Amino acid sequence: MNDAVWNGRTFDGDRRVRMCEVGLRDGLQVEAAFVPTEDKIALCNALSRAGMAKIEVSAFVSPQAIPALRDAEVVLREIERVDGVAYTALVPNVRGAERAIDARVDEMNLVMSASESHNLANLRMMREQSFRALAEVAALARQAGVAVNVSLSCSFGCPIEGDVAEAGVLGWCERFVEELGAGGVTLCDTTGMAWPGQVHGLARAFLQRWPGTELTLHFHNTRGMGLANVLAGIDAGARRFDASIGGIGGCPYAPGATGNVCSEEIVHALELSGWDTGVDLARVIEAARRLPALIGHDIPSQIVKAGRRLDLHAPPADFEATRERALAREAARAH
Ligand code: COA
Ligand code: ZN
């Protein structure tokens, strides 16, 4: 299968992986510092130009619950809309949907949790109440001609309840696809509990049942399994991944949450393995380097710390002298 000229580049459809940048939402929602609106806009523009397939720009949630994203409207209104990039935002309820439609989002990312406890902690509702609210939101989105994706938190485990049964997760997916008419579902590993075998099983089961629905996988690197989980997802046929610039992020209502898988680490690893992400890695790294000044602390990104695999280093200062001595010893041995 050959697709697509996308964002000015031609891709072999079989090797194409679509990156969804979530740093502006999942990343900033947990930060104590309020990143100024114009810096959010500049970051979003840099990420658009870097070739992300989708950007989750902000969240239309209660400003009391997530003060860091209280400027969602302004950010959505003032960013550059680059052709081929889908601009999405998190929407928890009807109030959020109305705001998101006004702000001309391309897609609403609805959210609920596969676990009752996390749903209560995060959204202050039982799961059935959340689902009913999402059904209202989906109806509004349909009327407005806006696409719907549903993100299912704690799909791979809950920090309060523990294991979450695969059958339960697939049961919610069935209701998103068949009752809400969602065009996409994101299976979220909110606190880094997923492991590769589990990811492979769940992604394969989803893709077999709903081949026409966009599946995105969303991992946090809380236990160091993030990249392994992305590779397991690819193995199972998943081709869309959420990731966050700098590796920042985490759910403020999930105990022990830490950063998303890091965009530049994932792109770096996938491109080495011959996957075409469409992302200009140098631009993402440049944007990530500016993050610590915005959020006031260091970022997890290993690529920002170490550089790319072939970003080489100058030899040590005494290198030439060492070489001369080694050559002299070799010459003496030969005599
Ligand atoms: N946008 C703006 N304001 C909103 C809103 C929205 N989408 N939803 C609720 N509010 C406001 C209400 O107007 C109300 O304000 P008031 O106290 O000034 O009257 C206040 O928030 C409480 O509203 P209520 O309907 O009682 O909601 P709640 O307190 O049960 O909160 C959520 C429910 C889900 C809307 C809220 O907890 C929330 O936005 N949480 C954020 C979850 C999140 O983003 N988690 C991390 C990402 S997964
Ligand atoms: Zn997350």
Side-chain angles (χ1 to χ4, degrees), residues 36-46 48-49 57-58 60 71-82 87 102-105:
T37 307
E38 62 268 25
D39 291 321
K40 288 177 180 141
I41 294 166
L43 181 55
C44 187
N45 292 345
S48 288
R49 288 192 286 264
V57 180
S58 191
F60 290 96
D71 54 359
E73 273 87 356
V74 187
V75 179
L76 259 298
R77 198 163 52 237
E78 296 193 3
I79 53 172
E80 277 170 34
R81 305 281 180 120
V82 171
Y87 296 92
D102 272 357
R104 297 191 304 107
V105 295

Side-chain angles (χ1 to χ4, degrees), residues 25 29 60-66 90 92-93 95-96 99 111 122-124 251-253:
R25 196 277 299 170
Q29 74 185 8
F60 290 96
V61 294
S62 152
Q64 286 98 309
I66 310 280
L90 192 87
N93 57 14
R95 170 96 187 83
R99 293 172 60 205
V111 60
N122 190 35
L123 300 169
R124 302 163 182 272
C251 176
Y253 300 101

Side-chain angles (χ1 to χ4, degrees), residues 285-306:
I285 294 172
E286 197 185 299
R289 288 214 165 98
R290 292 197 294 267
L291 269 180
L294 295 180
I295 58 179
H297 59 82
D298 193 16
I299 51 177
S301 174
Q302 295 294 127
I303 295 295
V304 164
K305 291 189 181 75

Side-chain angles (χ1 to χ4, degrees), residues 26 218 220 260:
D26 205 338
H218 174 113
H220 284 256
N260 292 81

